[in-house]
Amino acid sequence: MAMIKRVAVTRFRAKRDELRDPLLSVLTLLLILFLFVIVPLHAAGTISAEGYGFIIVLLLASCVLMQSTRWVVLVVLFSGVALAAAAVVLRSRSPSAVDILLEAIAWVIIDIALIFVIAGAVFAPGRVTYHRVNGAVLLYLTMGMTFVGLYTLVGLWSPNAFSGLVVYHERGMASSVIYFSFVTLTSVGYGDIAPVHPMARALANLEGIIGQLFPATLLARLVTLELQDRHDRLKGKD
């Protein structure tokens, strides 16, 4: 029995290692679908069903579990999923600020776990593959989503934290917060939504700095990894 269990665990780990890089592309596609298709369609009224965010949370969590089995990551992920599930239940019974709060905390927790795991996979030594480049895009998008949760928390704490945006139960609220986060991350800043509260401004400054530094840091790191991998392969042939 012990031998069978050991063989099963070995096969599972081998399969997980085989799927680890392709899952980076899967996660990227899931998040792009959520951010740029599902959320805008829901805000426009084309999609009326609720709870799609929780489904995306489950898919992201399951893919992350294939990337890492560290107990800290597992605890963080399960905590985030539990909070997201509680938010869905509360919203179905009586929508209030509480379910928005729980969902925002859940997204921040899961995004932090995702950033930790994906950064380890993207910046690990080895060949820079197509999937790892997609993982770098995923890392960038996840940073923006982390600030979506943080902006939501600030908006709940101070209703006048943003000019042009109030965090409350409205069909287009999530779309508006996501929009503000990514125009800040990319330093577009159209000005239709602006941070007013000092904490909101501090977060916007931090996100803008990250948005400027990340591409340059990412490019330098990926080039270094690729050159190191080529050097190791040439050295191995010698």
Side-chain angles (χ1 to χ4, degrees):
M1 180 63 76
M3 180 63 69
I4 295 176
K5 183 178 180 181
R6 192 177 301 112
V7 171
V9 171
T10 302
R11 289 182 177 177
F12 171 76
R13 289 178 177 174
K15 193 65 177 178
R16 185 192 66 191
D17 293 339
E18 179 184 344
L19 295 175
R20 180 168 290 171
D21 278 1
L23 276 174
L24 293 174
S25 295
V26 173
L27 282 167
T28 305
L29 288 175
L30 282 174
L31 199 53
I32 288 175
L33 178 67
F34 173 73
L35 289 173
F36 306 119
V37 179
I38 296 179
V39 172
L41 288 178
H42 183 265
T46 306
I47 297 177
S48 58
E50 300 290 342
Y52 59 84
F54 181 65
I55 296 175
I56 298 296
V57 165
L58 288 179
L59 291 173
L60 291 175
S62 61
C63 290
V64 171
L65 289 176
M66 291 296 292
Q67 289 284 335
S68 175
T69 55
R70 295 184 181 182
W71 68 269
V72 176
V73 175
L74 297 180
V75 171
V76 170
L77 279 179
F78 284 126
S79 299
V81 171
L83 288 173
V88 171
V89 172
L90 290 175
R91 184 170 300 151
S92 63
R93 294 180 178 179
S94 178
S96 66
V98 176
D99 61 80
I100 299 179
L101 174 65
L102 292 178
E103 190 172 52
I105 295 174
W107 272 105
V108 171
I109 290 175
I110 292 173
D111 286 338
I112 290 175
L114 197 58
I115 288 172
F116 175 78
V117 172
I118 300 306
V122 170
F123 297 125
R127 186 180 178 185
V128 178
T129 64
Y130 167 78
H131 297 298
R132 290 179 70 174
V133 173
N134 284 338
V137 175
L138 172 64
L139 189 59
Y140 189 73
L141 294 176
T142 307
M143 290 177 180
M145 283 303 298
T146 304
F147 280 92
V148 169
L150 294 174
Y151 290 137
T152 302
L153 293 176
V154 172
L156 288 172
W157 176 36
S158 176
N160 298 318
F162 299 93
S163 172
L165 172 65
V166 179
V167 177
Y168 68 102
H169 272 288
E170 184 188 33
R171 178 176 291 274
M173 189 272 291
S175 178
S176 296
V177 181
I178 290 172
Y179 161 77
F180 173 72
S181 178
F182 281 96
V183 298
T184 302
L185 184 66
T186 55
S187 298
V188 176
Y190 291 113
D192 49 347
I193 301 176
V196 177
H197 192 278
M199 185 58 67
R201 288 179 173 178
L203 288 174
N205 284 335
L206 178 61
E207 186 176 20
I209 292 171
I210 291 174
Q212 291 295 307
L213 294 180
F214 179 78
T217 304
L218 169 68
L219 182 61
R221 178 58 177 167
L222 292 181
V223 170
T224 301
L225 288 173
E226 180 65 20
L227 292 176
Q228 183 63 45
D229 181 67
R230 291 183 182 182
H231 178 267
D232 292 341
R233 279 184 288 169
L234 290 174
K235 188 176 180 181
K237 290 181 181 180
D238 295 339

